[in-house]
Amino acid sequence: MNEVPKLDLYDVLVVGGGPAGATAAHELAKAGRSVMLLDRAGRTKPCGGAVPPQLLRDFDVPDSLMVAQIDTARIISPTWRTVDIPVGNGYVGMVDRDVFDEWLRTRAAQAGAERHVGTFTNFARGADGIPVISYTDGKSRAGEVRQVRARMVIGADGALSPVARQCIPNSHKAKHVFAYHEVVKSPVAGDEANFGAARCDVYYQAPLSPDFYAWVFPHGATTSIGTGTLQKGFGLKDAVAKLRQETGLDQVETIRKEGAPIPIKPLPQWDNGRDVVLAGDAAGVVAPASGEGIFYAMTGGRFAAEAVLAALVTGNAKALRHARRRFMRMHGPVFAVLDIMQTFWYRNDNRRERFVAICRDRDVQQLTFDGYMNKQLVKAKPLAHVRIFFKNLAHLTGLATA
Protein backbone atom coordinates (compact mmCIF):
# COMPACT_ATOMS: atom_id res chain seq x y z
CA MET A 1 0.00 0.00 0.00
CA ASN A 2 1.41 3.40 -1.10
CA GLU A 3 2.04 5.82 1.71
CA VAL A 4 0.42 9.26 1.35
CA PRO A 5 3.19 11.89 1.32
CA LYS A 6 3.26 14.18 4.31
CA LEU A 7 2.58 17.79 3.38
CA ASP A 8 4.66 20.69 4.64
CA LEU A 9 2.91 22.72 7.33
CA TYR A 10 3.38 26.48 7.66
CA ASP A 11 1.98 28.91 10.17
CA VAL A 12 0.91 31.15 7.29
CA LEU A 13 0.62 30.86 3.54
CA VAL A 14 0.58 34.23 1.77
CA VAL A 15 -0.87 34.03 -1.73
CA GLY A 16 0.38 36.91 -3.86
CA GLY A 17 3.72 38.71 -3.78
CA GLY A 18 2.71 42.28 -4.57
CA PRO A 19 3.07 45.11 -2.03
CA ALA A 20 0.34 43.70 0.26
CA GLY A 21 1.48 40.07 0.24
CA ALA A 22 5.19 40.83 0.42
CA THR A 23 4.60 43.20 3.34
CA ALA A 24 2.48 40.65 5.19
CA ALA A 25 5.07 37.91 4.63
CA HIS A 26 7.85 40.18 5.87
CA GLU A 27 5.97 41.17 9.02
CA LEU A 28 5.11 37.57 9.91
CA ALA A 29 8.55 36.17 9.17
CA LYS A 30 10.11 38.95 11.21
CA ALA A 31 7.85 37.88 14.08
CA GLY A 32 9.33 34.39 13.91
CA ARG A 33 6.47 32.60 12.12
CA SER A 34 6.99 30.02 9.38
CA VAL A 35 5.75 31.66 6.19
CA MET A 36 5.39 30.52 2.60
CA LEU A 37 5.05 33.32 0.03
CA LEU A 38 3.43 32.02 -3.15
CA ASP A 39 3.64 34.34 -6.13
CA ARG A 40 2.88 33.62 -9.74
CA ALA A 41 5.38 34.59 -12.43
CA GLY A 42 4.73 37.22 -15.05
CA ARG A 43 2.33 39.35 -13.02
CA THR A 44 1.23 42.50 -14.81
CA LYS A 45 -0.73 45.43 -13.46
CA PRO A 46 -1.20 48.91 -14.88
CA CYS A 47 0.02 51.22 -12.15
CA GLY A 48 1.11 54.82 -12.09
CA GLY A 49 3.62 53.89 -9.39
CA ALA A 50 3.02 56.90 -7.12
CA VAL A 51 3.94 56.59 -3.45
CA PRO A 52 3.79 59.24 -0.69
CA PRO A 53 6.76 59.98 1.59
CA GLN A 54 4.63 58.52 4.40
CA LEU A 55 5.14 55.08 2.85
CA LEU A 56 8.92 55.39 3.07
CA ARG A 57 8.67 56.25 6.76
CA ASP A 58 6.02 53.70 7.71
CA PHE A 59 7.59 50.74 5.92
CA ASP A 60 11.30 51.58 6.06
CA VAL A 61 11.65 51.78 2.28
CA PRO A 62 14.90 53.36 1.01
CA ASP A 63 14.85 56.51 -1.12
CA SER A 64 16.96 54.66 -3.68
CA LEU A 65 13.83 52.85 -4.92
CA MET A 66 12.34 56.16 -6.07
CA VAL A 67 12.96 56.61 -9.80
CA ALA A 68 11.48 60.12 -9.88
CA GLN A 69 10.20 62.81 -7.56
CA ILE A 70 7.13 64.69 -8.72
CA ASP A 71 6.69 68.32 -7.68
CA THR A 72 3.58 69.20 -9.70
CA ALA A 73 0.29 67.61 -10.70
CA ARG A 74 -1.30 69.04 -13.84
CA ILE A 75 -4.98 68.33 -14.39
CA ILE A 76 -6.52 68.84 -17.83
CA SER A 77 -10.21 69.55 -18.33
CA PRO A 78 -12.48 68.43 -21.20
CA THR A 79 -11.88 71.81 -22.90
CA TRP A 80 -8.11 71.52 -22.38
CA ARG A 81 -7.97 74.02 -19.55
CA THR A 82 -5.08 73.14 -17.28
CA VAL A 83 -4.44 73.62 -13.59
CA ASP A 84 -0.97 73.08 -12.16
CA ILE A 85 -1.09 71.99 -8.53
CA PRO A 86 2.29 72.27 -6.76
CA VAL A 87 3.05 69.54 -4.26
CA GLY A 88 4.40 72.12 -1.84
CA ASN A 89 7.13 71.26 0.63
CA GLY A 90 7.05 67.53 -0.14
CA TYR A 91 7.02 65.38 -3.25
CA VAL A 92 5.26 62.42 -4.78
CA GLY A 93 7.69 59.54 -5.23
CA MET A 94 7.50 57.29 -8.28
CA VAL A 95 8.54 53.63 -8.32
CA ASP A 96 8.85 51.01 -11.04
CA ARG A 97 6.62 48.19 -9.86
CA ASP A 98 8.77 45.36 -11.20
CA VAL A 99 11.79 46.61 -9.22
CA PHE A 100 9.83 47.80 -6.19
CA ASP A 101 7.77 44.62 -5.76
CA GLU A 102 10.82 42.40 -6.16
CA TRP A 103 12.65 44.39 -3.49
CA LEU A 104 9.72 43.81 -1.12
CA ARG A 105 9.68 40.06 -1.86
CA THR A 106 13.44 39.82 -1.36
CA ARG A 107 13.14 41.59 1.97
CA ALA A 108 10.45 39.11 3.05
CA ALA A 109 12.74 36.22 2.09
CA GLN A 110 15.64 37.75 3.99
CA ALA A 111 13.40 37.89 7.07
CA GLY A 112 12.74 34.15 6.73
CA ALA A 113 9.77 33.74 4.38
CA GLU A 114 10.08 30.89 1.86
CA ARG A 115 9.43 32.06 -1.68
CA HIS A 116 7.73 29.77 -4.18
CA VAL A 117 6.73 30.52 -7.77
CA GLY A 118 3.31 29.13 -8.57
CA THR A 119 -0.39 29.80 -9.05
CA PHE A 120 -3.00 29.15 -6.38
CA THR A 121 -5.74 26.78 -7.59
CA ASN A 122 -7.75 25.40 -4.67
CA PHE A 123 -8.53 25.78 -0.98
CA ALA A 124 -9.65 22.70 0.98
CA ARG A 125 -9.36 21.26 4.47
CA GLY A 126 -7.74 18.15 5.80
CA ALA A 127 -9.36 15.75 8.25
CA ASP A 128 -7.88 17.81 11.09
CA GLY A 129 -9.53 21.00 9.76
CA ILE A 130 -6.24 22.63 8.75
CA PRO A 131 -6.33 24.31 5.29
CA VAL A 132 -4.78 22.39 2.41
CA ILE A 133 -3.81 24.66 -0.48
CA SER A 134 -3.19 23.39 -3.99
CA TYR A 135 -1.12 25.30 -6.53
CA THR A 136 0.59 24.73 -9.84
CA ASP A 137 4.33 24.88 -9.48
CA GLY A 138 6.47 26.87 -11.88
CA LYS A 139 5.86 29.60 -14.39
CA SER A 140 2.68 28.35 -16.06
CA ARG A 141 -0.61 26.68 -15.23
CA ALA A 142 0.72 23.55 -16.88
CA GLY A 143 3.15 23.08 -13.99
CA GLU A 144 3.00 20.21 -11.54
CA VAL A 145 0.23 20.39 -8.94
CA ARG A 146 1.56 20.68 -5.41
CA GLN A 147 -0.06 20.99 -2.00
CA VAL A 148 0.88 22.51 1.35
CA ARG A 149 -0.88 22.98 4.66
CA ALA A 150 -1.09 26.24 6.55
CA ARG A 151 -2.79 27.23 9.77
CA MET A 152 -3.66 30.62 8.29
CA VAL A 153 -3.94 31.96 4.75
CA ILE A 154 -3.61 35.56 3.56
CA GLY A 155 -5.15 36.19 0.15
CA ALA A 156 -3.23 39.02 -1.49
CA ASP A 157 -3.71 37.71 -5.00
CA GLY A 158 -5.16 40.69 -6.81
CA ALA A 159 -8.44 42.25 -7.85
CA LEU A 160 -10.09 39.04 -9.04
CA SER A 161 -8.65 37.07 -6.14
CA PRO A 162 -9.26 33.30 -6.45
CA VAL A 163 -8.68 33.02 -2.70
CA ALA A 164 -11.44 35.54 -2.04
CA ARG A 165 -13.83 33.91 -4.48
CA GLN A 166 -13.36 30.49 -2.87
CA CYS A 167 -13.31 31.60 0.75
CA ILE A 168 -15.06 34.96 1.30
CA PRO A 169 -18.83 35.35 0.78
CA ASN A 170 -19.98 37.83 -1.90
CA SER A 171 -16.43 38.77 -2.92
CA HIS A 172 -17.45 38.33 -6.57
CA LYS A 173 -19.60 41.47 -6.27
CA ALA A 174 -16.57 43.76 -6.01
CA LYS A 175 -16.51 46.86 -8.27
CA HIS A 176 -13.54 47.34 -10.58
CA VAL A 177 -12.07 49.86 -12.97
CA PHE A 178 -10.67 48.27 -16.11
CA ALA A 179 -7.22 49.80 -16.55
CA TYR A 180 -4.64 49.74 -19.31
CA HIS A 181 -1.29 51.44 -19.70
CA GLU A 182 1.72 51.52 -21.97
CA VAL A 183 5.21 51.94 -20.58
CA VAL A 184 7.37 53.99 -22.94
CA LYS A 185 10.82 55.52 -22.99
CA SER A 186 10.62 59.00 -21.52
CA PRO A 187 11.14 61.88 -23.93
CA VAL A 188 14.55 63.52 -23.90
CA ALA A 189 15.69 67.08 -24.52
CA GLY A 190 14.75 68.14 -28.04
CA ASP A 191 11.62 65.99 -28.25
CA GLU A 192 8.45 67.94 -28.94
CA ALA A 193 6.24 65.96 -26.59
CA ASN A 194 4.02 67.77 -24.07
CA PHE A 195 5.80 66.26 -21.11
CA GLY A 196 7.24 67.20 -17.74
CA ALA A 197 9.82 64.92 -16.12
CA ALA A 198 8.73 66.07 -12.64
CA ARG A 199 5.03 66.49 -13.44
CA CYS A 200 2.13 64.04 -13.36
CA ASP A 201 -0.57 64.81 -15.94
CA VAL A 202 -4.17 63.75 -15.27
CA TYR A 203 -6.78 64.04 -18.05
CA TYR A 204 -10.48 64.36 -17.21
CA GLN A 205 -11.88 63.91 -20.71
CA ALA A 206 -14.64 61.54 -21.86
CA PRO A 207 -12.85 60.36 -25.04
CA LEU A 208 -9.96 59.21 -22.83
CA SER A 209 -12.10 57.91 -19.95
CA PRO A 210 -15.87 58.30 -19.59
CA ASP A 211 -15.91 57.97 -15.80
CA PHE A 212 -12.36 57.88 -14.43
CA TYR A 213 -9.24 59.56 -15.80
CA ALA A 214 -6.27 59.07 -18.10
CA TRP A 215 -2.70 59.76 -17.07
CA VAL A 216 0.89 60.42 -18.05
CA PHE A 217 3.17 59.60 -15.12
CA PRO A 218 6.97 59.95 -15.53
CA HIS A 219 9.24 57.32 -14.00
CA GLY A 220 12.65 58.71 -14.78
CA ALA A 221 13.87 56.76 -17.80
CA THR A 222 10.36 55.46 -18.54
CA THR A 223 6.82 56.84 -18.46
CA SER A 224 3.41 55.25 -17.84
CA ILE A 225 0.60 56.36 -20.16
CA GLY A 226 -2.74 54.87 -19.24
CA THR A 227 -6.45 55.12 -18.63
CA GLY A 228 -9.25 53.35 -16.78
CA THR A 229 -13.03 53.06 -16.79
CA LEU A 230 -15.92 51.23 -15.20
CA GLN A 231 -17.55 50.81 -18.61
CA LYS A 232 -17.09 47.40 -20.18
CA GLY A 233 -16.33 47.60 -23.87
CA PHE A 234 -14.72 51.04 -23.77
CA GLY A 235 -11.69 51.15 -26.09
CA LEU A 236 -8.85 51.50 -23.59
CA LYS A 237 -6.11 50.90 -26.16
CA ASP A 238 -7.64 53.37 -28.58
CA ALA A 239 -7.88 55.96 -25.80
CA VAL A 240 -4.20 55.55 -24.90
CA ALA A 241 -3.26 55.79 -28.58
CA LYS A 242 -5.27 59.03 -28.82
CA LEU A 243 -3.59 60.43 -25.69
CA ARG A 244 -0.14 59.56 -27.01
CA GLN A 245 -0.89 61.21 -30.34
CA GLU A 246 -2.26 64.39 -28.75
CA THR A 247 0.73 64.74 -26.43
CA GLY A 248 3.41 63.78 -28.95
CA LEU A 249 4.23 60.63 -26.99
CA ASP A 250 3.41 58.47 -30.00
CA GLN A 251 6.94 59.20 -31.22
CA VAL A 252 8.74 57.51 -28.32
CA GLU A 253 9.52 53.80 -28.05
CA THR A 254 6.98 51.49 -26.42
CA ILE A 255 8.52 49.09 -23.91
CA ARG A 256 5.50 47.05 -22.80
CA LYS A 257 1.69 47.08 -22.59
CA GLU A 258 -0.37 45.90 -19.60
CA GLY A 259 -4.01 45.70 -18.62
CA ALA A 260 -5.85 44.53 -15.52
CA PRO A 261 -8.89 45.26 -13.33
CA ILE A 262 -8.34 47.56 -10.37
CA PRO A 263 -10.81 47.57 -7.43
CA ILE A 264 -12.33 50.86 -6.35
CA LYS A 265 -14.22 49.92 -3.20
CA PRO A 266 -13.20 47.87 -0.13
CA LEU A 267 -15.04 44.58 0.25
CA PRO A 268 -17.53 44.49 3.16
CA GLN A 269 -15.88 41.30 4.51
CA TRP A 270 -12.19 40.39 4.49
CA ASP A 271 -12.09 37.15 6.48
CA ASN A 272 -13.91 33.83 6.68
CA GLY A 273 -14.09 33.86 10.48
CA ARG A 274 -11.73 30.95 10.74
CA ASP A 275 -8.37 30.99 8.92
CA VAL A 276 -8.42 33.24 5.83
CA VAL A 277 -8.04 37.02 5.56
CA LEU A 278 -7.58 39.29 2.53
CA ALA A 279 -5.19 42.17 1.84
CA GLY A 280 -4.41 44.63 -0.94
CA ASP A 281 -6.38 44.55 -4.19
CA ALA A 282 -8.02 41.31 -3.08
CA ALA A 283 -9.64 43.29 -0.24
CA GLY A 284 -10.46 46.19 -2.58
CA VAL A 285 -8.20 48.77 -0.96
CA VAL A 286 -7.51 51.06 -3.91
CA ALA A 287 -8.63 54.63 -3.33
CA PRO A 288 -11.65 55.72 -5.39
CA ALA A 289 -11.20 58.77 -7.64
CA SER A 290 -7.39 58.67 -7.45
CA GLY A 291 -6.70 54.97 -8.01
CA GLU A 292 -3.87 55.09 -5.48
CA GLY A 293 -3.15 51.63 -4.14
CA ILE A 294 0.46 50.92 -3.13
CA PHE A 295 0.38 52.64 0.26
CA TYR A 296 -3.03 51.21 1.10
CA ALA A 297 -1.98 47.72 -0.04
CA MET A 298 1.06 47.73 2.22
CA THR A 299 -0.98 49.09 5.13
CA GLY A 300 -3.59 46.38 4.59
CA GLY A 301 -0.85 43.76 4.35
CA ARG A 302 0.57 44.85 7.68
CA PHE A 303 -2.86 44.83 9.34
CA ALA A 304 -3.61 41.38 7.92
CA ALA A 305 -0.30 40.06 9.25
CA GLU A 306 -0.95 41.50 12.70
CA ALA A 307 -4.48 40.07 12.75
CA VAL A 308 -3.18 36.63 11.75
CA LEU A 309 -0.46 36.80 14.36
CA ALA A 310 -3.02 37.65 17.04
CA ALA A 311 -5.22 34.76 15.92
CA LEU A 312 -2.30 32.34 16.06
CA VAL A 313 -1.19 33.52 19.50
CA THR A 314 -4.64 33.58 21.10
CA GLY A 315 -6.32 30.78 19.16
CA ASN A 316 -9.24 33.15 18.61
CA ALA A 317 -10.15 33.50 14.91
CA LYS A 318 -12.22 36.61 15.67
CA ALA A 319 -8.91 38.47 15.68
CA LEU A 320 -8.94 38.28 11.88
CA ARG A 321 -11.75 40.86 11.83
CA HIS A 322 -9.37 43.48 13.16
CA ALA A 323 -7.57 43.81 9.82
CA ARG A 324 -10.57 45.42 8.14
CA ARG A 325 -11.74 47.27 11.24
CA ARG A 326 -8.36 48.93 11.73
CA PHE A 327 -8.02 49.82 8.07
CA MET A 328 -11.50 51.32 7.75
CA ARG A 329 -11.18 53.22 11.02
CA MET A 330 -7.98 54.80 9.74
CA HIS A 331 -8.73 55.25 6.03
CA GLY A 332 -12.46 54.64 5.60
CA PRO A 333 -13.40 58.37 5.82
CA VAL A 334 -10.94 59.24 3.03
CA PHE A 335 -12.27 56.42 0.86
CA ALA A 336 -15.86 57.57 1.48
CA VAL A 337 -15.09 61.15 0.43
CA LEU A 338 -13.20 60.00 -2.67
CA ASP A 339 -16.04 57.67 -3.61
CA ILE A 340 -18.54 60.52 -3.45
CA MET A 341 -16.19 62.72 -5.44
CA GLN A 342 -15.79 60.15 -8.20
CA THR A 343 -19.49 59.34 -8.32
CA PHE A 344 -20.50 62.98 -8.68
CA TRP A 345 -17.68 64.86 -10.41
CA TYR A 346 -16.57 62.19 -12.90
CA ARG A 347 -20.09 61.59 -14.26
CA ASN A 348 -19.91 63.80 -17.39
CA ASP A 349 -17.69 66.40 -19.04
CA ASN A 350 -19.71 69.34 -17.71
CA ARG A 351 -19.07 68.22 -14.14
CA ARG A 352 -15.45 67.41 -14.91
CA GLU A 353 -15.00 70.94 -16.22
CA ARG A 354 -16.35 72.32 -12.96
CA PHE A 355 -14.23 69.91 -10.95
CA VAL A 356 -11.07 71.18 -12.64
CA ALA A 357 -12.21 74.74 -11.95
CA ILE A 358 -12.55 73.95 -8.26
CA CYS A 359 -9.00 72.57 -8.29
CA ARG A 360 -7.69 76.05 -9.16
CA ASP A 361 -8.55 77.04 -5.59
CA ARG A 362 -5.56 77.27 -3.27
CA ASP A 363 -7.49 75.90 -0.29
CA VAL A 364 -8.42 72.81 -2.30
CA GLN A 365 -4.84 72.37 -3.49
CA GLN A 366 -3.37 72.73 -0.02
CA LEU A 367 -5.81 70.35 1.67
CA THR A 368 -5.51 67.82 -1.17
CA PHE A 369 -1.76 67.45 -0.81
CA ASP A 370 -1.82 67.73 2.98
CA GLY A 371 -4.23 64.78 2.93
CA TYR A 372 -2.11 62.88 0.42
CA MET A 373 1.10 63.34 2.40
CA ASN A 374 -0.45 62.44 5.76
CA LYS A 375 -2.98 59.85 4.53
CA GLN A 376 -5.91 61.23 6.47
CA LEU A 377 -8.55 63.93 6.22
CA VAL A 378 -7.06 67.25 7.24
CA LYS A 379 -8.89 68.66 10.27
CA ALA A 380 -6.44 71.35 11.30
CA LYS A 381 -7.90 74.05 9.01
CA PRO A 382 -11.63 74.34 9.68
CA LEU A 383 -12.01 77.70 7.90
CA ALA A 384 -10.49 76.24 4.73
CA HIS A 385 -13.04 73.42 4.87
CA VAL A 386 -15.86 75.96 5.22
CA ARG A 387 -14.60 77.97 2.26
CA ILE A 388 -14.32 74.82 0.14
CA PHE A 389 -17.86 73.80 1.10
CA PHE A 390 -19.33 77.07 -0.19
CA LYS A 391 -17.19 76.99 -3.33
CA ASN A 392 -18.41 73.46 -4.05
CA LEU A 393 -21.98 74.61 -3.45
CA ALA A 394 -21.53 77.47 -5.92
CA HIS A 395 -20.26 75.11 -8.58
CA LEU A 396 -23.00 72.57 -7.91
CA THR A 397 -25.73 75.20 -8.29
CA GLY A 398 -24.13 76.86 -11.31
CA LEU A 399 -23.51 80.17 -9.50
CA ALA A 400 -19.82 79.82 -10.24
CA THR A 401 -18.49 79.53 -13.78
CA ALA A 402 -16.33 76.65 -14.88
Side-chain angles (χ1 to χ4, degrees), residues 31-268:
R33 293 293 174 171
S34 59
V35 181
M36 174 175 165
L37 177 60
L38 178 67
D39 190 48
R40 61 186 177 88
R43 291 182 302 109
T44 61
K45 181 189 175 184
C47 178
V51 298
Q54 185 75 29
L55 180 146
L56 307 185
R57 296 190 294 269
D58 285 359
F59 297 97
D60 197 22
V61 173
D63 288 339
S64 59
L65 287 175
M66 304 298 107
V67 295
Q69 292 188 0
I70 302 303
D71 59 24
T72 304
R74 171 172 292 178
I75 59 176
I76 301 95
S77 80
T79 60
W80 291 93
R81 294 184 183 183
T82 63
V83 176
D84 283 2
I85 305 176
V87 174
N89 296 326
Y91 65 89
V92 177
M94 307 299 289
V95 298
D96 285 335
R97 285 294 301 273
D98 52 350
V99 176
F100 183 75
D101 290 14
E102 178 58 24
W103 184 87
L104 292 175
R105 290 190 290 270
T106 299
R107 179 168 70 170
Q110 290 172 344
E114 291 185 23
R115 290 181 60 178
H116 292 258
V117 176
T119 302
F120 167 89
T121 58
N122 188 61
F123 179 95
R125 296 189 191 280
D128 55 3
I130 293 177
V132 177
I133 296 88
S134 301
Y135 67 98
T136 53
D137 190 30
K139 297 184 178 181
S140 73
R141 291 185 179 274
E144 182 180 352
V145 176
R146 298 183 181 276
Q147 291 184 320
V148 296
R149 297 193 304 154
R151 294 185 175 88
M152 294 282 170
V153 175
I154 295 178
D157 49 339
L160 302 178
S161 164
V163 172
R165 294 192 172 215
Q166 290 189 34
C167 303
I168 308 298
N170 299 316
S171 60
H172 63 284
K173 297 180 180 179
K175 292 177 62 178
H176 301 92
V177 164
F178 299 90
Y180 170 80
H181 81 157
E182 297 180 0
V183 177
V184 305
K185 284 192 174 181
S186 295
V188 296
D191 288 345
E192 296 182 358
N194 178 11
F195 176 78
R199 187 188 75 220
C200 284
D201 294 343
V202 181
Y203 292 80
Y204 294 104
Q205 300 178 351
L208 301 178
S209 172
D211 51 12
F212 199 58
Y213 65 80
W215 69 83
V216 176
F217 288 174
H219 285 209
T222 64
T223 293
S224 166
I225 308 168
T227 187
T229 180
L230 282 162
Q231 292 188 12
K232 293 183 179 180
F234 180 78
L236 295 170
K237 293 182 179 180
D238 291 341
V240 169
K242 178 179 176 63
L243 178 56
R244 291 185 65 173
Q245 185 176 24
E246 290 176 342
T247 56
L249 292 167
D250 56 337
Q251 303 300 311
V252 296
E253 179 184 343
T254 301
I255 298 173
R256 66 180 187 272
K257 303 177 181 181
E258 299 166 340
I262 297 175
I264 57 169
K265 192 168 187 177
L267 289 176

